[in-house]
Amino acid sequence: MSWMWRIYEDAVQQLDREAQEYVRLHITAELSLEETARRIGVSRSYLRRYGGGRLAALVRDAITRMVLQMTPEDLAGIVHAMDSLGLLNEEEMSRLLCVPVEVVVDSQRGRVDRLQRGGKPVGLCRAG
């Protein structure tokens, strides 16, 4: 599922520059909060704005936007790839993709409809 890591990497790229630096230095490079703050040029207490689940919420929101903006075909392909592994149920797939379970179910149905009728997927949720 290297494509899933790609989605998460792309989501981090959607964050503002400061949040990206925080991820790169503190999360990925495992620098201390003090060293991360020094390199970014802010106070340690300022960086606490990314603690307590706030960074995770920012990444989740970015993933949700990206997934909902995918073409129906791309989303159906990802859902199909996840489903074909047989490791995740629909709820788990929806949590991993940061979208409501209905998006996963609609995507699965769209893929089945396309395979059965040779047409385009129907009923997919897409961003505005």
Side-chain angles (χ1 to χ4, degrees):
M1 285 207 305
S2 63
W3 48 267
M4 196 65 224
W5 285 115
R6 180 68 183 164
I7 289 174
Y8 282 87
E9 289 171 357
D10 288 351
V12 169
Q13 295 303 313
Q14 301 290 321
L15 303 177
D16 65 39
R17 187 165 176 76
E18 181 182 89
Q20 288 179 39
E21 284 297 297
Y22 176 83
V23 169
R24 186 178 68 78
L25 297 170
H26 187 63
I27 307 296
T28 305
E30 299 180 355
L31 296 180
S32 69
L33 199 55
E34 292 83 9
E35 181 62 16
T36 300
R38 187 185 68 72
R39 290 194 185 189
I40 293 176
V42 297
S43 70
R44 177 184 173 187
S45 61
Y46 178 82
L47 287 183
R48 290 199 175 126
R49 69 187 294 190
Y50 299 115
R54 288 183 286 265
L55 180 63
L58 291 172
V59 172
R60 230 181 356 261
D61 289 347
I63 292 169
T64 299
R65 283 190 306 276
M66 288 177 10
V67 169
L68 292 177
Q69 290 174 357
M70 288 179 179
T71 66
E73 294 81 11
D74 288 343
L75 180 55
I78 288 173
V79 169
H80 175 71
M82 293 170 73
D83 194 36
S84 68
L85 294 173
L87 302 174
L88 304 170
N89 63 35
E90 292 163 342
E91 290 82 17
E92 292 164 329
M93 285 188 261
S94 74
R95 282 196 302 274
L96 193 59
L97 294 171
C98 305
V99 294
V101 71
E102 293 80 15
V103 173
V104 172
V105 170
D106 286 350
S107 184
Q108 289 172 317
R109 286 186 189 138
R111 183 166 179 82
V112 169
D113 287 347
R114 185 175 63 230
L115 292 172
Q116 290 176 348
R117 293 187 266 144
K120 292 192 98 174
V122 293
L124 291 179
C125 274
R126 294 182 68 191

